[in-house]
Amino acid sequence: MATPRLVGVVGMGLIGGSLARRLVGRGTAVVAWNHRPHPYEQAERDGIRCVATLADLVEAAPDVIVLCNPLKAMPAILAELRPLLDAAPGITLTDVGSVKGMVRDQVEAAGLGERYVGAHPMAGNELSGWTAADPHLYDDALWAITVTDHTDFDRFSAVARLIVDGVGDRLIVLDDDTHDKAAAMISHMPHVVATALINELTDDANRNIAAALAAGSWRDMTRVALTDPDRTRAMVEEDAENVETLLRHMADRLTTVADLLHDERTGVNGDGEAVDVAAWTAMRAFFAEGQPFRDYKARQKAIAGRTASTETDSADMPRYEEREIGFSPDRWQSDLLASARRGEHIVAFEDAYKVRVQRRSAL
Amino acid sequence: MATPRLVGVVGMGLIGGSLARRLVGRGTAVVAWNHRPHPYEQAERDGIRCVATLADLVEAAPDVIVLCNPLKAMPAILAELRPLLDAAPGITLTDVGSVKGMVRDQVEAAGLGERYVGAHPMAGNELSGWTAADPHLYDDALWAITVTDHTDFDRFSAVARLIVDGVGDRLIVLDDDTHDKAAAMISHMPHVVATALINELTDDANRNIAAALAAGSWRDMTRVALTDPDRTRAMVEEDAENVETLLRHMADRLTTVADLLHDERTGVNGDGEAVDVAAWTAMRAFFAEGQPFRDYKARQKAIAGRTASTETDSADMPRYEEREIGFSPDRWQSDLLASARRGEHIVAFEDAYKVRVQRRSAL
């Protein structure tokens, strides 16, 4: 499968608008539709072909359509696309949603599962809408592509090459569940934790005193609790099962430390048994457990520093360990998932079943 | 009690060195001692009188001695000061430690409780040592002063005026327990939470994938877990009882949300009862509970923006509501604690029992 030459973009907000501008700027043609035409005049000047209806979009025969509409508009848009796409079997469908299992369920419910490949770019900022669209949003960005055992390899390949060649980004290949569990780990669950922190302060009789003493650590840990709580709640509920599991893990970890602090302080555990040095040893273990993550962040920082200090020859000096990996035509899903588990990010296709990877996120 | 004219500083690291330079720069004389004399040459050039021994420091007869040494050096320094101070009853003792109950216990164990007033400046950065000392560290900083029912008013007043007039900062007056509970709320407990987050990721079989997807929210919430884990552990253990209580509260909050996510998803609670809309209502309540804190942060941001946009006349335009409050000579501790609970920060002494306050931290 060659790199897509014409890409359809549905929804020209921050993510879709930036993507359309990025693709056109790098030489891939884009046909775009938005539920309201207000971005069209500027977009046409930027070289983006804008169309009045989804029927016109399908008519233009893009290789891939990228759904960049809000998640809540997804069912209506899929219902409208379904009959249009019946006459265009070659068009592959992808999206940019931040929860993959739910989107696939919607796509399959609309009878479009066979042609769908999930995608989620790690890109965004605090802005929204076409006026904030900026091709640099995708600079050095990572995308997660999600597939199932039934995903057609050519459709996967079309989306993957769109990302690597068209957008110029990196990618990892996951199944929906692995993606949604990881998103729960690094975003959805921590949003609940930050919200619980501001609730705990708000409930405190001495809350004005606590707020007075608050410094950088408190500000950093509660920043995400200040963003729109309804949007956060929706995000958490869309990934409910994974967030639930992680919240129970976190509650157990915090209770364990509370018990250790009690045991250290009193010399006796909850069952009245002397704890000797056991509590102190366990407490040291709690603070040592995350050391692989601290070491990983220190390595990342060192690489960033080395890149900054050798700017002139950075093209010749890869910042991360690179290698080529082949994968099986029959087990490409699991081969590429194993690569992602090793912390490798795909940066180029060498041929159909061989990619170049950088070891970017290995703890 | 007038503003101290000569201040003794013990320990010339980041906090003590910055304080000494700040005081001298604003016209208060400083005599300083450090356990090693390496800062002395530069400090003398900055106008700080440096002495070779703690005996010399006491001999210089400062109005107040500020203990800026590391907490672990406190018992030894207090033991050395005790006999020296017996001959100098007028000298008031204060400190800058971040946990107040433990320091007072040490001071009282050394037989110096009668002349002690606790203090904790909300100042610092990621640096340490004399070479990092910077008087601007104290720009617009808040100090907590901690007192007991037995604290001598004149000694309190000497320390308070040193902060307001000498350093040019704000202060609130607390008891040790209120201070240490608030510090547990906004710093010590959140450090444990951040550490639990990186432990949870480190334990995850897909940790490299989670690390790949991590963005701003994860980075902010785990930043404090990257700092020296041994120092964090010591800080948490010094405030063990308060941290234990708050960790149990947080565990309960996270478990509650986990239960609600379960109930929403299944329509049935843990006892097998239909939950109807109750779970959804409770989930909305969880995300609404911290709204007073969000509103407070929004007001702070608006005030900061207004100040920035009217820089030229900011001296005439108070950024925060100001008023004078009087307090009772007999109940000054509880009167000033009540003021702190209202979110008021003391910015000036009008006379012995009347202060000017700004309403800075009212949720």
Side-chain angles (χ1 to χ4, degrees):
Chain A
M1 179 73 195
T3 302
R5 287 167 310 164
L6 178 62
V7 174
V9 171
V10 171
M12 300 170 73
L14 176 70
I15 300 296
S18 299
L19 180 64
R21 293 186 60 197
R22 175 90 174 190
L23 286 168
V24 166
R26 290 174 52 94
T28 300
V30 172
V31 55
W33 172 86
N34 196 58
H35 72 301
R36 288 184 299 148
H38 66 91
Y40 284 7
E41 191 179 327
Q42 174 67 49
E44 291 272 1
R45 276 205 298 274
D46 291 346
I48 298 162
R49 182 181 154 202
C50 299
V51 293
T53 66
L54 285 172
D56 294 339
L57 190 84
V58 172
E59 182 83 14
D63 301 297
V64 176
I65 289 177
V66 188
L67 300 168
C68 303
N69 47 274
L71 279 182
K72 64 172 186 281
M74 195 62 85
I77 285 175
L78 291 171
E80 187 172 345
L81 280 175
R82 168 65 201 274
L84 300 169
L85 287 172
D86 278 346
I91 298 178
T92 292
L93 205 58
T94 187
D95 75 313
V96 294
S98 57
V99 185
K100 302 320 303 174
M102 197 185 71
V103 173
R104 187 177 304 275
D105 290 346
Q106 294 176 330
V107 170
E108 288 183 348
L112 291 164
E114 177 270 325
R115 67 173 83 212
Y116 172 72
V117 177
H120 177 205
M122 305 300 120
N125 57 34
E126 72 288 4
L127 305 172
S128 63
W130 164 259
T131 50
D134 177 358
H136 290 297
L137 201 71
Y138 290 96
D139 285 354
D140 197 37
L142 173 73
W143 294 59
I145 291 187
T146 59
V147 298
T148 73
D149 289 345
H150 306 295
T151 300
D152 179 76
F153 181 76
D154 282 347
R155 293 193 187 276
F156 156 71
S157 191
V159 174
R161 286 176 182 245
L162 167 62
I163 292 165
V164 171
D165 300 333
V167 189
D169 278 348
R170 294 170 278 133
L171 67 87
I172 57 177
V173 182
L174 309 175
D175 56 70
D176 297 323
D177 188 50
T178 301
H179 173 279
D180 291 351
K181 281 188 160 68
M185 175 73 239
I186 52 83
S187 173
H188 308 158
M189 176 273 282
H191 272 75
V192 175
V193 171
T195 304
L197 283 171
I198 71 166
N199 290 357
E200 183 67 28
L201 181 137
T202 302
D203 268 7
D204 194 315
N206 285 316
R207 64 190 191 173
N208 291 347
I209 291 167
L213 302 189
S217 58
W218 175 261
R219 187 176 57 238
D220 285 354
M221 290 201 63
T222 57
R223 188 183 60 81
V224 300
L226 302 181
T227 56
D228 183 359
D230 286 326
R231 206 184 57 179
T232 302
R233 182 174 47 78
M235 182 179 82
V236 166
E237 287 172 345
E238 284 159 6
D239 198 11
E241 194 165 356
N242 294 320
V243 176
E244 181 192 338
T245 300
L246 291 173
L247 288 175
R248 295 199 196 284
H249 289 188
M250 283 293 288
D252 286 348
R253 288 180 190 277
L254 302 186
T255 301
T256 297
V257 176
D259 289 345
L260 291 175
L261 286 169
H262 174 272
D263 296 355
E264 284 183 350
R265 197 159 49 78
T266 60
V268 181
N269 71 15
D271 295 329
E273 299 158 348
V275 294
D276 297 325
V277 297
W280 302 86
T281 305
M283 187 69 96
R284 279 175 191 275
F286 173 81
F287 281 96
E289 190 176 355
Q291 197 56 39
F293 182 74
R294 292 189 194 101
D295 295 342
Y296 159 67
K297 294 295 283 185
R299 286 196 300 277
Q300 276 198 320
K301 197 173 168 185
I303 288 171
R306 196 158 69 232
T307 307
S309 66
T310 60
E311 210 170 318
T312 48
D313 59 355
S314 63
D316 305 321
M317 182 190 270
R319 291 177 295 173
Y320 297 92
E321 184 193 325
E322 279 198 14
R323 66 187 184 110
E324 284 180 3
I325 60 165
F327 50 92
S328 157
D330 302 325
R331 299 184 317 271
W332 59 271
Q333 295 96 329
S334 55
D335 285 355
L336 292 176
L337 177 59
S339 167
R341 286 198 172 120
R342 292 191 297 267
E344 295 169 352
H345 301 189
I346 296 171
V347 295
F349 275 76
E350 302 291 336
D351 60 38
Y353 297 102
K354 189 190 283 180
V355 290
R356 175 167 290 280
V357 297
Q358 289 181 348
R359 200 147 183 273
R360 284 257 194 168
S361 59
L363 270 71
Chain B
M1 180 73 196
T3 302
R5 288 168 309 164
L6 177 63
V7 174
V9 170
V10 172
M12 299 170 74
L14 176 70
I15 300 296
S18 298
L19 180 65
R21 294 186 59 197
R22 174 90 174 190
L23 286 168
V24 165
R26 290 174 51 93
T28 300
V30 172
V31 54
W33 173 86
N34 196 58
H35 72 302
R36 287 185 298 150
H38 65 90
Y40 285 7
E41 192 179 330
Q42 174 68 49
E44 292 272 2
R45 277 205 297 275
D46 291 345
I48 299 162
R49 181 180 155 202
C50 299
V51 292
T53 65
L54 285 173
D56 294 340
L57 190 83
V58 172
E59 182 85 12
D63 301 296
V64 175
I65 290 177
V66 188
L67 299 168
C68 304
N69 47 275
L71 279 182
K72 66 173 186 282
M74 195 61 86
I77 285 175
L78 291 172
E80 188 173 343
L81 279 175
R82 167 67 202 274
L84 299 170
L85 288 172
D86 278 346
I91 299 179
T92 291
L93 205 58
T94 186
D95 75 313
V96 295
S98 56
V99 185
K100 302 320 303 173
M102 198 186 70
V103 174
R104 187 178 304 275
D105 289 346
Q106 294 175 331
V107 169
E108 288 182 348
L112 291 164
E114 177 271 324
R115 66 172 84 212
Y116 173 71
V117 177
H120 177 206
M122 305 301 120
N125 57 35
E126 72 287 6
L127 305 172
S128 64
W130 164 259
T131 51
D134 178 357
H136 290 297
L137 202 71
Y138 291 96
D139 284 354
D140 197 37
L142 174 72
W143 295 58
I145 290 187
T146 59
V147 298
T148 73
D149 289 346
H150 306 295
T151 300
D152 179 77
F153 181 76
D154 282 346
R155 294 193 186 275
F156 156 72
S157 190
V159 174
R161 287 177 181 240
L162 167 62
I163 293 165
V164 171
D165 301 332
V167 189
D169 279 346
R170 294 170 277 133
L171 68 87
I172 57 178
V173 181
L174 310 175
D175 56 69
D176 297 323
D177 187 51
T178 301
H179 173 279
D180 291 351
K181 280 188 160 68
M185 176 73 239
I186 52 82
S187 173
H188 308 157
M189 176 272 282
H191 273 74
V192 175
V193 172
T195 304
L197 283 170
I198 72 166
N199 290 358
E200 182 68 27
L201 182 137
T202 302
D203 268 5
D204 194 315
N206 286 315
R207 64 189 191 174
N208 291 347
I209 291 167
L213 303 189
S217 59
W218 176 260
R219 189 177 54 239
D220 284 354
M221 290 201 63
T222 57
R223 187 182 60 79
V224 300
L226 302 181
T227 55
D228 182 0
D230 286 326
R231 206 184 57 180
T232 302
R233 182 174 48 77
M235 182 179 82
V236 166
E237 288 172 344
E238 284 158 6
D239 199 10
E241 193 165 356
N242 294 320
V243 175
E244 181 192 338
T245 300
L246 290 173
L247 288 175
R248 296 198 196 283
H249 290 188
M250 283 293 289
D252 286 347
R253 289 180 189 276
L254 301 186
T255 301
T256 298
V257 176
D259 289 345
L260 291 175
L261 286 169
H262 174 272
D263 295 355
E264 283 184 350
R265 198 160 48 78
T266 60
V268 179
N269 72 13
D271 295 331
E273 300 159 348
V275 294
D276 298 325
V277 296
W280 303 86
T281 305
M283 188 68 96
R284 280 176 191 275
F286 173 80
F287 281 96
E289 190 176 355
Q291 196 56 38
F293 182 74
R294 292 188 194 100
D295 295 341
Y296 160 66
K297 294 295 283 185
R299 286 196 301 275
Q300 276 198 320
K301 197 173 168 182
I303 288 170
R306 197 159 68 232
T307 307
S309 66
T310 59
E311 210 169 318
T312 49
D313 57 355
S314 64
D316 305 322
M317 181 189 270
R319 293 177 293 173
Y320 296 92
E321 182 194 326
E322 280 197 13
R323 65 186 185 110
E324 283 180 3
I325 60 165
F327 50 93
S328 156
D330 302 324
R331 299 184 317 272
W332 59 273
Q333 294 97 329
S334 56
D335 284 355
L336 292 175
L337 177 60
S339 167
R341 287 200 171 117
R342 292 191 297 267
E344 296 169 351
H345 300 190
I346 296 170
V347 294
F349 275 75
E350 302 291 336
D351 60 40
Y353 296 102
K354 188 191 285 181
V355 290
R356 174 166 291 278
V357 298
Q358 289 180 349
R359 202 148 182 273
R360 283 256 192 168
S361 59
L363 271 72

